Each structure stands twice: as structure tokens, then as C-alpha cells.
């Protein structure tokens, strides 16, 4: 695969080369004259069909998790987050030890490896917020609690230029990858000034309600604001806001 350069950009097939536009720019690659019918029926493409089947399930799972977390993802900006999450879920799916290749599912896979996944690679949580925190889950009550001890914002937060305040966000979602359903609950702190005055201990609880089904995911993030005339405005369309998966619990 190669990138097209020059003033004139091509789109289509010429001399067995496919020209097209992608998110990475204008691309050129060799044309592969293999039909969909052959891939679907030829025994030599059995492995390809297995890979396609699992890729499809991982893609549906990634989309479902993004939809479940939509309220939080709207606060961060990373156009490659969807692709990165899909790659992670492909690896997660391969951990399914119950089903044969081609039939592996996210339901049977080990999903705790997603802990630490950053939805904004340009502002990882671990490089933006340095205060320790703990995340706990209680499936019986459906509550997810994030606790932060006292910290000093000026020392614990790597704030972008222009930011005057921040807040800590958390959310818990239950995701049923089999039924393709989800539930969401969120919570956030007050807006805290970026100064050298220590905070009080913070405890944020988001509650889904008793005994949620599916896998549980807890995310923690930080969101920046700029105060103008006593009003706090969200800063720069989320480019510097962080959001990461802090805890995962397998299906109940």
C-alpha cells in the first residue's frame, strides 16, 4: 500500500491498481481479483472466513461499548480511538478458551486486559492525572465507586495552557455482548480550581441499579475548563481531556 502524492488525486482502478481516499489520505494498492463468492465458498479460504467472522463480532462489540460510553466519549477527542479499541477487542476475543477458532466470542473472552485502555491516546490518563485513586464495583447494588485521597491540583494535574479548572468524571456501564444491550450511569466531581490548595477527599459513585447483567466497565477521566467572567467553559473540544478504563468485571 502506498500514498498518492502530487496535485491530481485518483479514485478508481487503473492498470490493476486501486486508487482511493481513506482517513490516512489518498492511497494506492494492487487490485485483488478475488470475488466475495469465492471467499464465501472456497475451502482454501476457510481461515479467512474464520478471521472475518471473529473480526465482525469484535467490531460489533467495539461499537456497542462505544455507544454505551457515548456520554463520556463526547468529552474526549481522538479520531483513532475506534480503531484502537477494535484492535484491543480482537486480542480479547482470542482469549476465549471455550469456543473453536472462528466461533470465539467476547462473552466467553477474558476482558480484564482492557483495564488501562486510554480513549484519548494524545492525553493518556496516567500522563495527565497523577493522584492515586481506587475503583470498586458492587454488582449486587450496581454501584461503581471511585475514591481519591486528598491531593494538590498544581502537583497532580498536567493541565493544558489556558485551563483554570478541571473535574473528575467516572461512569459504569454494563454491556451484554450476546444480547447487544447496555446500561449506563455516570458521576462527576465539582469543577476544581487548578491551584496549590489541597482538595478534600473525593468519592464518586455511579449506580446502575441492582444486579446488572453483562460485563461491567468502569471508566475514569479528567475534563478541563477555562473560567471567563465566573463561568467555566469546556476547553478546546476535548483534545486534552483523558478517559481510561479503570476496572472490568466479567459477566455475572
Amino acid at each position: 500500500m502506498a500514498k498518492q502524492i502530487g496535485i491530481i488525486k485518483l479514485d478508481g482502478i487503473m492498470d490493476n491498481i486501486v486508487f482511493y481516499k481513506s482517513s490516512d489520505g489518498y492511497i494506492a494498492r494492487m487490485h485483488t481479483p478475488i470475488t466475495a463468492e469465492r471467499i464465501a465458498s472456497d475451502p482454501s479460504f476457510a481461515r479467512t472466513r474464520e478471521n472475518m467472522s471473529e473480526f465482525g463480532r469484535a467490531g460489533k462489540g467495539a461499537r456497542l461499548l462505544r455507544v454505551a460510553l457515548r456520554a463520556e466519549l463526547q468529552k474526549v477527542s481522538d479520531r483513532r480511538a475506534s480503531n484502537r479499541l477494535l484492535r484491543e477487542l480482537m486480542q480479547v476475543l482470542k482469549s476465549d478458551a471455550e469456543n473453536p477458532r472462528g466461533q470465539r466470542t467476547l462473552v466467553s473472552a477474558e476482558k480484564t486486559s482492557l483495564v488501562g485502555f486510554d480513549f484519548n491516546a494524545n492525553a493518556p490518563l496516567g500522563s495527565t492525572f497523577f493522584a492515586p485513586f481506587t475503583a470498586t464495583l458492587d454488582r449486587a447494588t450496581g454501584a461503581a465507586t471511585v475514591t481519591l485521597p486528598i491531593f494538590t491540583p498544581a502537583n497532580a494535574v498536567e493541565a493544558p495552557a489556558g485551563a483554570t479548572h478541571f473535574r473528575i468524571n467516572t461512569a459504569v456501564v454494563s454491556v451484554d455482548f450476546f444480547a447487544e444491550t447496555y446500561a449506563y450511569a455516570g458521576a462527576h466531581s465539582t469543577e476544581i480550581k487548578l491551584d496549590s490548595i489541597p482538595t478534600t477527599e473525593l468519592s464518586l459513585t455511579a449506580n446502575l441499579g441492582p444486579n446488572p447483567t453483562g460485563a461491567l466497565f468502569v471508566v475514569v477521566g479528567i475534563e478541563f475548563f477555562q473560567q471567563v467572567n465566573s463561568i467555566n467553559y469546556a476547553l478546546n473540544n476535548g483534545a486534552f481531556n483523558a478517559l481510561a478504563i479503570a476496572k472490568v468485571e466479567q459477566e455475572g
Side-chain angles (χ1 to χ4, degrees):
M1 184 174 67
K3 288 189 175 182
Q4 298 184 52
I5 61 175
I7 298 174
I8 300 175
K9 307 300 183 184
L10 302 178
D11 190 353
I13 301 176
M14 181 185 298
D15 290 336
N16 209 37
I17 299 177
V18 179
F19 300 90
Y20 63 98
K21 183 179 180 181
S22 73
S23 60
D24 295 314
Y26 287 87
I27 303 298
R29 63 173 176 78
M30 294 297 295
H31 176 56
T32 304
I34 299 174
T35 65
E37 291 77 10
R38 182 182 175 190
I39 293 175
S41 59
D42 191 329
S44 63
F45 285 95
R47 184 56 55 84
T48 300
R49 290 193 292 273
E50 292 172 357
N51 291 337
M52 291 172 61
S53 178
E54 294 190 346
F55 183 83
R57 282 194 286 278
K60 283 185 177 180
R63 182 181 183 280
L64 185 62
L65 183 54
R66 292 198 315 271
V67 171
L69 288 169
R70 177 176 170 78
E72 303 306 316
L73 292 178
Q74 288 179 322
K75 301 168 186 173
V76 301
S77 177
D78 182 350
R79 68 185 183 89
R80 296 186 180 275
S82 297
N83 291 337
R84 292 191 296 104
L85 180 60
L86 176 56
R87 285 197 300 270
E88 290 296 320
L89 285 182
M90 279 296 297
Q91 294 304 312
V92 166
L93 191 144
K94 292 176 182 178
S95 71
D96 177 3
E98 298 181 14
N99 297 297
R101 183 186 175 100
Q103 300 178 34
R104 293 176 293 194
T105 70
L106 290 172
V107 174
S108 303
E110 175 56 60
K111 292 173 281 293
T112 55
S113 61
L114 289 171
V115 171
F117 178 81
D118 281 293
F119 287 96
N120 187 357
N122 301 312
L125 184 62
S127 300
T128 307
F129 184 62
F130 299 96
F133 64 85
T134 58
T136 59
L137 268 170
D138 185 341
R139 187 180 287 272
T141 63
T145 301
V146 173
T147 303
L148 301 93
I150 295 171
F151 64 91
T152 303
N155 298 331
V157 178
E158 186 69 30
T164 60
H165 291 72
F166 70 96
R167 73 179 183 186
I168 304 300
N169 299 317
T170 188
V172 58
V173 293
S174 63
V175 180
D176 188 326
F177 291 105
F178 179 76
E180 298 184 11
T181 58
Y182 68 89
Y184 161 91
H188 58 78
S189 70
T190 59
E191 290 157 13
I192 303 168
K193 190 172 183 180
L194 283 160
D195 57 20
S196 297
I197 299 175
T199 66
T200 60
E201 181 175 305
L202 300 177
S203 181
L204 308 175
T205 298
N207 201 317
L208 292 168
N211 299 310
T213 60
L216 301 179
F217 299 84
V218 179
V219 296
V220 176
I222 184 169
E223 183 179 7
F224 293 102
F225 299 84
Q226 183 179 72
Q227 189 173 92
V228 179
N229 296 329
S230 300
I231 300 175
N232 290 335
Y233 296 91
L235 190 68
N236 205 36
N237 297 321
F240 299 102
N241 296 340
L243 182 72
I245 295 177
K247 193 172 184 62
V248 177
E249 185 175 300
Q250 296 286 108
E251 284 76 0

